[in-house]
Amino acid sequence: MRVLIAGASGLIGTSLTTRLRGSGHEVVRLVRREERAEDERRWDPPAGEIADGALDGIDAVVNLAGAPLLPGRWSAARKQVLLDSRVESTEVLAEAVAEHGIPVLVNASAVGYYGDPGPSIVDESSPAGRGFLAGLCTAWEGATETAATAGARVVRIRTGLVLARKGGLLDVLRPLFRLGLGGKLGDGKQYMPWISLDDEVGAIVFALEHEALSGPVNLSGPQPATNAAFTKALGRAVHRPAFWQVPGFAMKIALGQAAEEMALFGQRAMPRALEEAGYQFRHPTLEDALAAAT
């Protein structure tokens, strides 16, 4: 396939590009700066512009674009940036997919779609939750409708916490845990829907190649763990104790709503759509994923 990727320079996009090319696919990367390589095409989502010819011969589009959720508080202005960076880019690409008759759009979303369901299991049939992230994900996914209405197979990938050797969540946690400063967040009962980077990328490739897969798809490991269990597992992986606790109120004071929804909320998300479609996880347990990432 010839695949167009938005957000190709990020943690997931970089690995996805490598994996696709290693499997014999061709990748074209969308960039917001001036083009510097033969495989780059410029675009400007706020202006609704994509370089002429960028979609010529494209078989599928993968949209991973979006401003980072952390660090920092979610002021009203920051929330607007987070929303615009996702919805605007998706609207532009969905319209391009519809206009050019591209058959597949794989579009990013997040397990934050489910809000804070507590210990209840959620899968792709579960309703949207409450909160800023849930609303953001709902709008994000809704922006793909133009492509779906035009007949494209749209896969909305609701990604969990990606565990990687370099980058992502573990870049923040690993140094603290190695210093013996690791600990659970709040009461530690909230679920963490983790997924290894290998499986995140593998699942996206699987979604591109399997025509039966469409609609929302949870990209999370088959055994979600509570924050307390995750903390213990990471401590074991780096051979350090992890007995500290960060009080929930302290996190809220420091980061406000961002701390609540990103760290104290949790989703016991199950990857039912992936499993039913036949995807085989490379790292089906948290211990496997942490071993690969540490």
Side-chain angles (χ1 to χ4, degrees), residues 9 14 16 31 34 41 43 51 58-59 68 99 123-124 130 132 140 179 196 212 217 219 221 231 245 259 266 281 293:
S9 63
T14 300
L16 177 61
V31 296
E34 291 301 318
R41 301 292 184 273
W43 74 320
I58 294 296
D59 299 300
E99 180 182 347
D123 62 21
E124 293 84 355
R130 298 180 180 179
F132 170 70
W140 198 359
L179 289 171
S196 73
V217 177
L219 266 58
T231 297
Q245 178 179 6
F281 280 86

Side-chain angles (χ1 to χ4, degrees), residues 173-183 230-231 234-235 238 240-242:
L173 296 182
R174 194 184 293 107
L176 294 174
F177 274 70
R178 284 177 172 162
L179 289 171
L181 300 176
F230 181 93
T231 297
L234 181 54
V238 298
R240 292 290 187 277

Side-chain angles (χ1 to χ4, degrees), residues 73-264:
R73 284 178 168 268
W74 290 345
S75 64
R78 183 60 184 170
K79 285 181 178 180
Q80 194 62 51
V81 169
L82 296 175
L83 181 65
D84 289 345
S85 68
R86 287 162 173 78
V87 174
E88 284 181 350
S89 63
T90 301
E91 287 175 342
V92 171
L93 288 172
E95 289 173 5
V97 164
E99 180 182 347
H100 290 80
I102 296 169
V104 183
L105 170 62
V106 176
N107 203 85
S109 184
V111 291
Y113 174 90
Y114 303 108
D116 185 24
S120 300
I121 290 175
V122 291
D123 62 21
E124 293 84 355
S125 66
S126 302
R130 298 180 180 179
F132 170 70
L133 281 183
L136 182 150
C137 290
T138 300
W140 198 359
E141 295 185 11
T144 64
E145 282 303 318
T146 302
T149 300
R153 177 170 65 89
V154 176
V155 185
R156 303 174 179 100
I157 51 173
R158 295 173 179 167
T159 293
L161 300 166
V162 179
L163 306 181
R165 188 172 294 276
K166 292 183 179 180
L169 175 69
L170 291 183
D171 262 9
V172 177
L173 296 182
R174 194 184 293 107
L176 294 174
F177 274 70
R178 284 177 172 162
L179 289 171
L181 300 176
K184 65 183 181 180
L185 305 177
D187 63 15
K189 295 179 180 179
Q190 67 276 29
Y191 275 84
M192 297 180 66
W194 57 269
I195 185 169
S196 73
L197 179 60
D198 276 349
D199 279 317
E200 173 77 11
V201 172
I204 294 173
V205 175
F206 184 86
L208 286 169
E209 296 177 343
H210 286 73
E211 295 183 1
L213 202 59
S214 65
V217 177
N218 289 342
L219 266 58
S220 56
Q223 298 181 24
T226 64
N227 175 258
F230 181 93
T231 297
K232 290 181 180 179
L234 181 54
R236 290 193 297 270
V238 298
H239 309 292
R240 292 290 187 277
F243 51 79
W244 300 98
Q245 178 179 6
V246 182
F249 74 86
M251 297 183 67
K252 291 179 185 179
I253 291 173
L255 292 173
Q257 186 180 4
E260 185 173 39
E261 295 199 24
M262 291 292 292
L264 301 178

Side-chain angles (χ1 to χ4, degrees), residues 272-283:
R272 299 219 188 273
L274 271 179
E275 292 183 320
E276 289 175 1
Y279 180 76
Q280 299 293 316
F281 280 86
R282 297 187 180 192
H283 303 118

